[in-house]
Amino acid sequence: MKKRIGSYPRVRIEGDGRAVVSQAGSVLLVETVRKAGLDTAISAALTPWRKARAVHDPGKILLDVALAVALGGDCLADVGMLRAEPAVFGPVASDPTVSRLIDTLAASGEKALRAIRSARAQARCRVWKLAHEKAPDADGTVTVDLDGVLVIAHSDKEDAAPTWKRTYGHHPLMGFVDHGPGGTGEPVAALLRPGNAGSNTASDHITAARLSLAQLPKKYRRGRRTLIRTDSAGGTHDFVAWLAQQGRWLSYSVGMVITESIHEHVLKVPVSAWTPAVEADGEIRDGAWVAELAGDILDGWPKGMRLIVRKERPHPGAQLRFTDADGMRLTCFATNTTGRPIAELELRHRLRARAEDRIRAARTTGLRNLPLHDTAQNKVWLEIVQIALDLLAWMPMLALTGKARLWEPRRLRLRLFTAAGQLVTTGRRRILRLARHWPWTSHITAALERLALLSNPG
């Protein structure tokens, strides 16, 4: 009997395997595209860019790149991963064809971007209807988080510039719909900006908010049912006035910079006016209190704005700022929501931190860097990244349950999408058999069954 040497078994490698499909779990994304009607919507939207006698549909090309990004790709050439599996993804365009399409769309500027965005908005409306109680608007409200993202550039690209963190690259401003504690989130805006773009530029926040609202169903594009949340970068007079403008009437929860005036008002708040802050489970947050400021501190701001401040004991080792008081870390935000306790409003604003999870997911889904040189080309790339993130949010919302619905892109790829399969043809049917020993095969098959039960577009 031979004694095995080493920690891993030795296997013999042969390169002539047949009917084997890698990335077999990606059929979940393909089926999500079909059920959302995204393929037909984006093909119709990009019809003006389809040349006569063209073999490949522009919408299919763009979706193929988005699928490659959703599966972990970070450049146009990674679409070759789909080209290697025609049984799952169908005919996929060559790299030169893909590059020519991106150049063509980039040359069309905002016209092409509006077409892509309209197709995404159409598909989003359908997905939310299919999701029912799992949709982000199941409670009749929608929360949109705006936040900036630093994208490092390792080569000289158009509009790349030094950033406020002493890096070099771009500073896009993005918007995400929050799915709440039971889900993840989906992108609704991505405004490409130079690396030296200001964090608190009101015009950029207004543009990002407009793009975000255009992605929502029409009933949420104005009115109190839509909440816009930002960090202190959005705490400007112009942006808050735009949110509260008559006829728009959006709800907002906007972080504010602790100015000298606010600091002085905080020092005058009596002890009895401070209310204990709360956690998401309803328990009191240890060492944190909230209070509402009033008086002349609100002069010059829109009518109905409330200013709420929180003081909290800093974490061990944290360095206090000159705007803190009595050894307490101070934070402040503005809102126009009434009829709710200020501790509940402060918790709602603090949950804006979930946007950081969405940014982390975006970095692992094509936003680690901008792979193209021209700004117009990278704007198209940002739309591709958003389509990929849409699919990675819609698929769990429609097909996964329990903890699996909270999985971020990296875990979805590792456990579901990378599963291998065997393609079997019997009669006129093609069957994809997944490995029985793979621990998450049941998640894939159950998810496909749930997607199959959903109605088809049209």
Side-chain angles (χ1 to χ4, degrees):
M1 180 176 180
K2 293 184 179 180
K3 182 178 180 181
R4 187 166 62 89
I5 300 176
S7 302
Y8 299 96
R10 291 174 178 250
V11 294
R12 180 177 177 179
I13 306 299
E14 295 181 354
D16 59 350
R18 299 178 181 179
V20 176
V21 177
S22 61
Q23 302 284 340
S26 58
V27 294
L28 289 168
L29 296 178
V30 174
E31 191 63 19
T32 300
V33 168
R34 186 179 295 114
K35 292 296 182 177
L38 184 59
D39 50 349
T40 55
I42 203 165
S43 293
L46 295 185
T47 298
W49 288 271
R50 180 165 188 170
K51 297 180 180 180
R53 296 183 293 177
V55 175
H56 296 281
D57 176 68
K60 172 67 162 55
I61 296 175
L62 204 71
L63 269 179
D64 284 342
V65 179
L67 284 170
V69 173
L71 294 174
D74 60 3
C75 65
L76 298 179
D78 286 333
V79 76
M81 181 170 57
L82 275 63
R83 193 182 304 116
E85 300 293 353
V88 176
F89 301 104
V92 176
S94 64
D95 290 350
T97 301
V98 173
S99 296
R100 283 194 296 269
L101 175 64
I102 300 300
D103 291 340
T104 301
L105 296 177
S108 299
E110 288 297 320
K111 183 179 179 181
L113 298 179
R114 285 195 296 268
I116 298 171
R117 291 164 185 163
S118 67
R120 291 178 54 222
Q122 180 181 339
R124 191 182 319 281
C125 187
R126 171 172 170 78
V127 169
W128 287 15
K129 289 180 180 179
L130 291 175
H132 299 298
E133 70 277 1
K134 293 183 179 180
D137 65 337
D139 63 351
T141 64
V142 174
T143 300
V144 177
D145 293 315
L146 301 182
D147 207 347
V149 186
L150 290 182
V151 181
I152 306 302
H154 298 284
S155 60
D156 189 17
K157 298 177 182 179
E158 187 178 3
D159 285 338
T163 71
W164 61 276
K165 279 196 173 182
R166 299 183 180 180
T167 56
Y168 183 81
H170 298 81
H171 189 190
L173 184 61
M174 300 192 68
F176 300 91
V177 170
D178 184 22
H179 285 189
T184 54
E186 54 193 281
V188 285
L191 179 64
L192 185 58
R193 305 187 300 168
N196 56 2
S199 297
N200 57 349
T201 306
S203 58
D204 290 344
H205 278 80
I206 292 174
T207 301
R210 289 185 186 276
L211 293 175
S212 301
L213 294 173
Q215 284 294 308
L216 305 180
K218 288 186 178 180
K219 62 181 179 180
Y220 296 116
R221 295 178 186 177
R222 63 180 63 201
R224 292 284 194 242
R225 291 180 295 180
T226 301
L227 173 68
I228 304 294
R229 289 190 303 204
T230 73
D231 56 10
S232 58
T236 60
H237 284 79
D238 290 344
F239 182 54
V240 175
W242 183 86
L243 293 171
Q245 186 177 354
Q246 188 174 4
R248 191 170 289 114
W249 302 120
L250 297 167
S251 297
Y252 60 83
S253 185
V254 178
M256 303 290 286
V257 176
I258 302 292
T259 62
E260 184 178 350
S261 178
I262 293 176
H263 188 260
E264 292 178 356
H265 276 73
V266 171
L267 296 178
K268 297 177 183 178
V269 176
V271 176
S272 59
W274 292 98
T275 301
V278 297
E279 298 283 10
D281 57 3
E283 296 293 328
I284 292 178
R285 184 178 178 88
D286 185 41
W289 298 266
V290 294
E292 184 171 359
L293 304 182
D296 59 356
I297 191 69
L298 299 177
D299 292 347
W301 292 93
K303 184 179 179 180
M305 191 187 90
R306 305 173 66 188
L307 198 60
I308 299 174
V309 64
R310 181 188 74 179
K311 67 177 182 179
E312 184 174 19
R313 296 193 189 99
H315 298 292
Q319 187 175 1
L320 291 174
R321 298 166 294 192
F322 72 92
T323 53
D324 297 330
D326 298 330
M328 295 286 186
R329 175 64 53 83
L330 298 180
T331 56
C332 185
F333 72 98
T335 183
N336 59 349
T337 303
T338 59
R340 297 173 65 176
I342 59 174
E344 184 179 332
L345 295 176
E346 192 275 332
L347 172 64
R348 183 186 70 174
H349 182 76
R350 199 182 337 132
L351 292 178
R352 192 202 64 81
R354 282 199 286 254
E356 299 298 331
D357 298 332
R358 309 288 77 78
I359 291 175
R360 183 174 61 253
R363 292 187 190 280
T364 62
T365 311
L367 205 60
R368 182 179 60 84
N369 70 305
L370 299 177
L372 306 171
H373 178 271
D374 296 345
T375 296
Q377 295 173 325
N378 283 322
K379 286 182 178 180
V380 178
W381 177 260
L382 275 184
E383 295 300 319
I384 292 172
V385 169
Q386 290 180 87
I387 294 174
L389 290 170
D390 279 337
L391 295 177
L392 292 172
W394 294 345
M395 187 278 290
M397 184 166 63
L398 295 175
L400 297 181
T401 59
K403 293 182 179 180
R405 193 190 166 191
L406 299 173
W407 289 350
E408 292 192 1
R410 282 181 175 177
R411 183 161 292 183
L412 290 172
R413 295 177 192 127
L414 184 65
R415 296 187 174 183
L416 302 186
F417 302 153
T418 57
Q422 181 184 21
L423 192 65
V424 179
T425 303
T426 59
R428 296 183 179 180
R429 295 191 305 168
R430 289 184 300 176
I431 302 173
L432 186 60
R433 293 178 177 172
L434 302 177
R436 183 183 301 176
H437 69 274
W438 188 248
W440 301 281
T441 293
S442 60
H443 285 74
I444 301 173
T445 54
L448 288 171
E449 290 174 359
R450 295 188 190 98
L451 288 173
L453 293 175
L454 300 177
S455 61
N456 294 315

